[in-house]
Amino acid sequence: MQQLIFTNEVKDALAGLVAEMSPSGVYILTDTNTRTIGEELNSFGGKLITIGSGDECKTLESIAKVWEELSMSGATRHSVMINVGGGMITDLGGFAAASFKRGIRFINVPTTLLGAVDAAVGGKTGINFLNFKNEIGAFCPAEAVVISTRYFATLPAEELRSGFAEMLKHGLISDNETYRRLLNFDIAEADLEALLPLLEESVEVKKTIVEQDPREQGIRRALNLGHTAGHALETLALERNEPIAHGFAVAHGLLIEMVLSHLMVGFPSSELYPMAELLKRAYVPAPAITCDDYPHILELMSHDKKNTSASAINFTLLRSPGSVEIDQTASPKNIRIALDLYRDLLGL
Amino acid sequence: MQQLIFTNEVKDALAGLVAEMSPSGVYILTDTNTRTIGEELNSFGGKLITIGSGDECKTLESIAKVWEELSMSGATRHSVMINVGGGMITDLGGFAAASFKRGIRFINVPTTLLGAVDAAVGGKTGINFLNFKNEIGAFCPAEAVVISTRYFATLPAEELRSGFAEMLKHGLISDNETYRRLLNFDIAEADLEALLPLLEESVEVKKTIVEQDPREQGIRRALNLGHTAGHALETLALERNEPIAHGFAVAHGLLIEMVLSHLMVGFPSSELYPMAELLKRAYVPAPAITCDDYPHILELMSHDKKNTSASAINFTLLRSPGSVEIDQTASPKNIRIALDLYRDLLGL
């Protein structure tokens, strides 16, 4: 299926992939932040296409610009696109490639930890539309993903922690040993050399799950751990004009859903404290929520697109690290108790 | 795979399909011409979405309108779209559904013969972009296609003949018996009751080929018979501001490629005359081409998106009815001779 290459020699790896695919043309998509990286990697005469950076550029207008550049420069069904950037670029570029002439091949080169561990692998592509995230898109995996930690050195520390939250999630749904290795890694003072093997392990967890269920009809929902609560926290913060990074919301969402797992399916309470300590060390400030916010948090959770009906709130829960229960419905009462205990654990 | 239902009781068939799928919502896409049909078929409280008619409305603007109506009326991943119309509606609606929330289910109800025999079945969806036909789209089959001849009675005679050209193509690539039955059917005075079984047979030919090769990497190219020459004639006519119907161009393209098949792979010359007679009876006026047009026709053929390189012109050829040779490269000289013989056969 999808080829994953873990290397810090990205330029050589890409040149090898392009030679192997012998495309009729190569197009390198970057945003304004990653254009220099795209130029450096271009040892094969590819054409650069650059769009604006940030989630606010993940639009129909941007993708139409990409399609136009492909069309006008004579790209064919046998061309290849290389997406160089964070999740915004690999999501948008993946959908641009998936839909151009009904699908051309593409390669992802994630330049952020969050992109490497999440967006670039697994075939979910798309753009935002109106006010809805990833409303328009396709399930379409990249031919190959080239993953390196070399681009992370210049990223803000916050971005690294944000991506690490998804790694924690992969550890939790995979097995206890993987999870413990992550708890022992100090993301606050990250050693990028030591991060690469952990990242490799983490991406393989995702790849294995996606291969079993590419279109998220069952076990892929394990990857939603932490995200029902996390998305609600993220939206709440956005509504208050105090946006928080996706991974920060997910990290806190993980603890909330671990508490809920304790209440509902017997997840050991002893596992809650190390995660709470990690959050207090690396994911501060915590979202400023009080019990007055609970009704709105519940409402936001009920709008999650993963729910099958408007009245039930769907969660992925854990019996223990590595033992996942998908499609669990929690009562508003249990969610309130979980939020209370979460706030206690963090001293909020 | 794709469920095909041949019936003139379309309303009942649709109601049954919707009940079986138990969607969270139903959206019926029509154009301004088919809106009344959409309203008649709506026995399940579906929401109607209507866009402009004609190929000039097969645009990004139209599909954005469809996405917007879906989003704003709360369509979910479990909603179903029903596309009621000709090839423009099933192509655009299919891509709208394939990309909304990364894919919702859809049903096609073709209302033209060309749509029934070609666009609605086989999963090619898309929109035009800039000046390129079907430049943006996806391979994504409808869950079900409900095919009836009842809507054809009110169509212009030209439309029926246009669709019949694709049926002739399916006969030619299928087997001699099927092809002979079509030659014996009088499309100029068509009996719609007698057409339904022939249509069923024809759609099954396409379905069988598509199932073997959904993404057109091999045998599906058999379906391109008549289309390399046909597209060139269609574009030439358009450039002269004397547009001809797609099916008329394909009918004439079939004869040109039958002649080329005779020259290159021994297709029997005796088969050329009945087709020429049919063209003279039902596909008039013939495209007004002279030998002065040959260089431009060759140029148009070389731009066909089915070609793998700019210098070779790719054809699907026939040894006999039912015996197909894909990926044949013809020399300019043979193409010129074929055009000469084609003009002789028609007395042009």
Side-chain angles (χ1 to χ4, degrees), chain A residues 164-183:
Chain A
F164 192 69
E166 297 285 350
M167 290 177 66
L168 288 166
K169 180 194 77 179
H170 290 160
L172 277 166
I173 62 180
S174 169
D175 58 80
N176 196 44
E177 293 67 40
T178 309
Y179 178 54
R180 297 257 94 79
R181 271 193 289 280
L182 291 165
L183 282 180

Side-chain angles (χ1 to χ4, degrees), chain B residues 70-81:
Chain B
L70 291 170
S71 285
M72 298 314 286
S73 55
T76 76
R77 288 183 189 176
H78 305 280
S79 297
V80 161
M81 207 157 117

Side-chain angles (χ1 to χ4, degrees), chain B residues 22 34 37 48 54 68 72-73 76 99 129 135 175 222 253 260 307-308:
Chain B
S22 65
T34 58
I37 301 176
L48 266 91
E68 185 168 343
M72 298 314 286
S73 55
T76 76
S99 53
F129 184 70
E135 183 81 341
D175 59 80
L260 195 62
N307 293 322
T308 47

